[in-house]
Amino acid sequence: MFLGGLGRSGTTLVERLLGELPGAMALGEVIHLWERGAHAGERCGCGVPFGECPFWRRVGEAAFGGWDAVDLDRFAELRAEVDRTRHIPMLARDRLPADRSPLVAEYVDHYLRLYRAVAAESGAAVLIDSSKQASLAFCLRWAARAGRVDLRVLHVVRDSRGVAYSWTRQVRRPEADAGGDEYMTQWSPPRTAVHWNAENGAFQLLARRGVRVRRMRYEDFVAEPRARLRDIARFAGLPAVADALAFVGDGRAELTANHTASGNPMRFRTGQIEIRSDDRWRTALPAADQRRVTAMTLPLLRHYSYLGGDA
């Protein structure tokens, strides 16, 4: 299960809740595992540095013969060659260019080996990768076409004004080392609007390219978390019986420890959490920025029924 959409759209909350279901395991943003986990040694969701986490050490050994055996420089080169938003038109074709096909296969093989090792180590039937980025989903599409992975995509959408406000906020990264980046990246509202259009539009294209994609609005999820989680679980092939959903109630959920490798600081939360809509943007995002983001994202805002129109 690949969680897609622009960052700050609520995917971490969705991932954490899905990860509590029997037979599921949340991995975090696997796209950042290589640099932030295997290279920089940032903390696993369980709280210990990635290289010291027994779970990820066993996974690395099973998948690659140890994390030291992974050529991270080569991986970074491959990502630059195939896994960027600008490469989506190429990745969306019916046939890859002859010079790109082996690069995509080599790049995706890293993920497939990792997924297989995690599945074997955890016993989970469904792995949840909240990498978000559409370009990676398009890369994985080629493995799915070859029958090498059962790829299902949950496209999480949030009101562009709320996303834009979230990207302006200064959020500390608690998993960073003392010498690493202390805060998460910040974007201006216009820049966020451009990325919001690009990412969400790309996932609509992915659905037209034969990948099983289910779209869900963040606002609908937090309004009815139990019902929406049941729907997503069925889409993922996970049990959706009452007992499996007992950890979710009206406006709250109970979270246990996890082994997410990278992502939003919320991945470190355990115990009872409150589930509620975050509408601070309505008063905290300057009116001029609200108007600017609305104008820049108007077609998709209407398409997703944020301003009326068809969903």
Side-chain angles (χ1 to χ4, degrees):
M1 170 70 81
F2 187 95
L3 300 192
L6 187 60
R8 319 292 173 88
S9 294
T11 52
T12 303
L13 172 63
V14 176
E15 178 194 28
R16 290 297 312 277
L17 296 185
L18 282 173
E20 294 293 332
L21 292 172
M25 180 168 181
L27 307 184
E29 298 174 7
V30 179
I31 196 169
H32 298 305
L33 173 152
W34 319 93
E35 172 63 27
R36 298 178 184 174
H39 174 69
E42 292 185 357
R43 283 192 289 152
C44 169
C46 69
V48 304
F50 182 86
E52 298 176 19
C53 173
F55 176 81
W56 285 114
R57 289 178 67 177
R58 292 192 297 269
V59 167
E61 187 64 33
F64 308 107
W67 291 106
D68 290 342
V70 180
D71 187 341
L72 295 176
D73 290 335
R74 174 59 177 168
F75 179 82
E77 291 174 1
L78 290 168
R79 183 181 175 191
E81 289 288 336
V82 300
D83 188 0
R84 291 288 187 270
T85 300
R86 64 179 176 270
H87 298 314
I88 287 177
M90 176 268 293
L91 294 166
R93 297 178 186 178
D94 289 332
R95 180 176 297 178
L96 288 171
D99 63 332
R100 294 299 175 123
S101 182
L103 299 180
V104 172
E106 183 182 353
Y107 178 69
V108 169
D109 188 62
H110 287 76
Y111 288 88
L112 299 184
R113 292 169 69 178
L114 178 71
Y115 295 152
R116 285 194 294 266
V118 169
E121 179 64 30
S122 67
V126 175
L127 307 182
I128 305 158
D129 181 347
S130 63
S131 289
K132 302 181 185 65
Q133 296 184 21
S135 55
L136 175 55
F138 272 91
C139 288
L140 293 171
R141 163 182 174 253
W142 288 96
R145 287 185 58 169
R148 301 186 67 196
V149 65
D150 179 359
L151 176 65
R152 305 183 192 192
V153 175
L154 181 67
H155 175 200
V156 182
V157 176
R158 184 184 179 189
D159 191 305
S160 58
R161 282 82 51 100
V163 177
Y165 169 66
S166 183
W167 276 96
T168 66
R169 296 178 58 229
Q170 189 177 68
V171 179
R172 191 175 184 280
R173 300 181 66 241
E175 75 273 31
D177 290 334
D181 295 333
E182 187 175 359
Y183 295 98
M184 296 178 70
T185 303
Q186 292 174 268
W187 286 347
S188 68
R191 181 176 182 183
T192 300
V194 170
H195 285 275
W196 190 89
N197 282 330
E199 285 295 310
N200 290 313
F203 279 105
Q204 293 189 190
L205 175 61
L206 184 68
R208 295 197 294 270
R209 291 296 184 268
V211 176
R212 284 177 287 186
V213 179
R214 174 76 61 88
R215 186 171 70 237
M216 183 194 69
R217 301 196 319 174
Y218 156 81
E219 293 83 0
D220 296 334
F221 183 81
V222 295
E224 298 180 300
R226 191 179 179 90
R228 299 294 175 172
L229 190 61
R230 183 183 298 111
D231 292 341
I232 302 168
R234 288 169 177 160
F235 173 64
L238 289 166
V241 297
D243 287 349
L245 296 166
F247 68 97
V248 184
D250 293 333
R252 57 88 187 162
E254 192 77 23
L255 299 179
T256 57
N258 65 90
H259 288 290
T260 50
S262 183
N264 187 288
M266 187 206 165
R267 68 194 183 92
F268 295 107
R269 295 276 304 275
T270 58
Q272 190 167 102
I273 64 165
E274 183 181 6
I275 302 175
R276 59 178 177 79
S277 182
D278 183 356
D279 292 327
R280 284 175 290 178
W281 66 268
R282 297 183 183 278
T283 55
L285 186 66
D289 286 328
Q290 290 192 34
R291 291 192 295 269
R292 188 176 295 112
V293 173
T294 299
M296 293 177 68
T297 61
L298 188 59
L300 284 179
L301 277 176
R302 284 178 172 160
H303 184 66
Y304 300 143
S305 296
Y306 286 112
L307 298 175
D310 296 332

